[in-house]
Amino acid sequence: MKIIRYGSYDDMDVEFLDEFKYVKTTTYSNFKTGCVKNPYDRTLFGVGYMGVGKYMAKVNGKMTDEYEKWTGIMERCYLNPEKYPAYYGKCIVCEEWHNFQNFAKWFEENRYYVEDSRLNIDKDILFPKCNIYSPKTCLLIPQRINMLFLNKPNNRGLPNGIVKQGKGFLAKYKHEPFGVFSSVEKAYEVYANKKEEAIREVLNEYKDVLPKETYEEIYNYRFDIRNDKNYQVA
């Protein structure tokens, strides 16, 4: 930073020498000791910064919901490859959301309250296999529903819900079998139909609290074997 206005020892303006050129009024003592904080410093995993605005990381000593969600998606993408191997190095957060103020504004405008479930940020329902967290690609959905969309990696080389059985493929959902089929694709179609039915059943429990657009996006979602992380074309 540099001094751009000097009124007195206790009244001066400094400008930070980065792309944001943020100006802050401070004292010469703080300037000299480096105690002037730049809200645009990328202090979160070398990527995220707080920005300037009304949204805060903590209120009355408790982390705010928006800050918890923001740090959560940033951690997945930029901090912990051991904990989040499916995200680290494979997914990114859009530049707009590197600024916490922008993310928090989106979160505030889109949040709603569900008594029995936390809200999760989902980036795959609107755009399957999406690798970007952004305002255009994400939805806030109840954690209970979000968990039904999980597609965990396995070492079978087959989509979740499909098991090799003899010369065919068994389709099952929640341990209930639905028949053996001649191809992975046919078995997956049956599995997908059952899973979609189960999701809609749970979804309807939240119909009165979900935003209309969110409800419709989830209700109309169709599972496609090509989007399964474990699917391998023979």
Side-chain angles (χ1 to χ4, degrees):
M1 57 186 166
K2 67 179 180 180
I3 299 171
I4 60 172
R5 182 189 66 84
Y6 187 89
S8 68
Y9 188 86
D10 294 321
D11 177 28
M12 52 180 278
D13 292 340
V14 296
E15 180 183 82
F16 290 96
L17 304 179
D18 57 20
E19 68 268 36
F20 298 103
K21 305 298 182 183
Y22 180 68
V23 175
K24 188 170 185 177
T25 300
T26 186
T27 67
Y28 184 76
S29 176
N30 286 339
F31 170 78
K32 186 176 180 180
T33 56
C35 293
V36 187
K37 292 185 178 180
N38 181 357
Y40 294 97
D41 275 346
R42 298 180 185 275
T43 54
L44 187 69
F45 315 139
V47 179
Y49 53 91
M50 288 299 297
V52 177
K54 68 178 183 178
Y55 301 102
M56 304 173 66
K58 290 184 178 181
V59 174
N60 297 325
K62 182 180 179 182
M63 186 182 297
T64 59
D65 288 345
E66 54 268 31
Y67 188 75
E68 181 182 11
K69 293 291 188 296
W70 182 64
T71 56
I73 61 174
M74 297 291 278
E75 179 182 5
R76 290 181 180 186
C77 296
Y78 302 112
L79 177 68
N80 203 324
E82 289 78 22
K83 186 176 180 181
Y84 299 109
Y87 294 86
Y88 184 86
K90 301 173 183 176
C91 297
I92 62 172
V93 178
C94 72
E95 288 191 15
E96 180 183 347
W97 279 4
H98 291 182
N99 184 333
F100 169 64
Q101 300 299 318
N102 293 335
F103 172 83
K105 183 176 185 294
W106 173 86
F107 183 82
E108 180 182 62
E109 291 174 348
N110 290 276
R111 76 183 306 177
Y112 51 94
Y113 295 90
V114 180
E115 290 186 2
D116 65 344
S117 184
R118 301 175 61 192
L119 291 181
N120 284 0
I121 299 175
D122 185 277
K123 61 174 179 52
D124 297 302
I125 291 176
L126 292 178
F127 299 94
K129 301 184 79 172
C130 175
N131 68 344
I132 301 175
Y133 285 97
S134 76
K136 294 182 179 180
T137 60
C138 289
L139 288 174
L140 284 174
I141 66 174
Q143 184 175 37
R144 183 183 170 201
I145 294 176
N146 198 32
M147 294 296 289
L148 298 174
F149 283 87
L150 285 182
N151 181 212
K152 294 181 178 179
N154 64 55
N155 57 9
R156 303 193 314 272
L158 293 172
N160 289 317
I162 309 301
V163 179
K164 190 77 171 72
Q165 184 164 304
K167 294 183 179 180
F169 299 91
L170 172 68
K172 62 179 182 177
Y173 182 69
K174 290 189 174 181
H175 307 295
E176 182 179 354
F178 294 102
V180 178
F181 302 87
S182 59
S183 70
V184 174
E185 290 76 13
K186 289 181 180 179
Y188 187 87
E189 184 177 348
V190 173
Y191 158 79
N193 288 337
K194 296 298 180 182
K195 189 169 184 176
E196 289 162 7
E197 289 175 7
I199 288 174
R200 292 190 200 106
E201 185 176 335
V202 174
L203 177 67
N204 282 328
E205 296 179 27
Y206 296 88
K207 187 173 184 179
D208 293 336
V209 295
L210 285 172
K212 180 181 177 182
E213 296 79 5
T214 301
Y215 175 87
E216 290 177 351
E217 289 289 353
I218 299 173
Y219 188 91
N220 293 322
Y221 185 89
R222 297 294 181 268
F223 287 92
D224 188 325
I225 193 171
R226 294 169 295 183
N227 296 327
D228 191 283
K229 296 177 181 178
N230 303 292
Y231 178 58
Q232 297 180 359
V233 180

